[in-house]
C-alpha cells in the first residue's frame, strides 16, 4: 500500500492511504525524519520511504501548476 504524509499534527502523522482514506499513525511508528509530502510503501509498522514516488508527485504537481498559471 502507498501512504502519503498529508500532515503532521502534534505527535501524529495523518496518512493518505492509496488515495482513498486517511489514518492517524503515531510519529514514533514512522521512519525518523518523516515529513509532510513524504511517500511511503508498505504497511503500518513497516514503512519504506519512496523518494522516487515523491519526486514524481512533485514533478507532476509542478507541471500542473505551470499549466494553471500559464499566461
Amino acid at each position: 500500500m502507498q501512504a502519503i504524509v498529508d500532515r503532521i499534527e502534534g505527535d501524529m502523522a495523518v496518512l493518505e492511504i492509496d488515495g482513498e482514506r486517511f489514518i492517524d499513525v503515531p510519529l514514533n511508528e514512522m521512519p525518523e525524519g518523516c515529513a509532510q509530502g513524504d511517500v511511503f510503501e508498505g504497511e503500518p509498522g513497516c514503512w519504506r520511504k519512496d523518494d522516487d514516488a515523491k519526486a514524481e508527485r512533485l514533478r507532476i504537481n509542478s507541471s500542473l501548476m505551470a499549466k494553471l498559471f500559464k499566461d
Side-chain angles (χ1 to χ4, degrees):
M1 96 178 48
Q2 184 181 67
I4 300 166
V5 180
D6 182 66
R7 63 190 177 276
I8 305 291
E9 292 185 349
D11 62 349
M12 302 293 284
V14 180
L15 306 179
E16 178 183 330
I17 304 296
D18 294 329
E20 298 177 355
R21 60 192 170 94
F22 291 87
I23 63 171
D24 296 340
V25 177
L27 278 176
N28 63 2
E29 294 180 16
M30 296 298 294
E32 191 171 331
C34 169
Q36 182 176 331
D38 284 348
V39 179
F40 294 91
E41 291 290 336
E43 57 191 53
C46 188
W47 296 113
R48 294 173 314 281
K49 193 171 182 183
D50 188 343
D51 289 326
D52 292 336
K54 180 179 179 179
E56 179 65 10
R57 287 177 47 83
L58 291 172
R59 186 192 65 74
I60 290 169
N61 287 344
S62 178
S63 176
L64 290 171
M65 292 297 284
K67 288 179 186 176
L68 180 64
F69 293 107
K70 182 180 175 185
D71 288 338

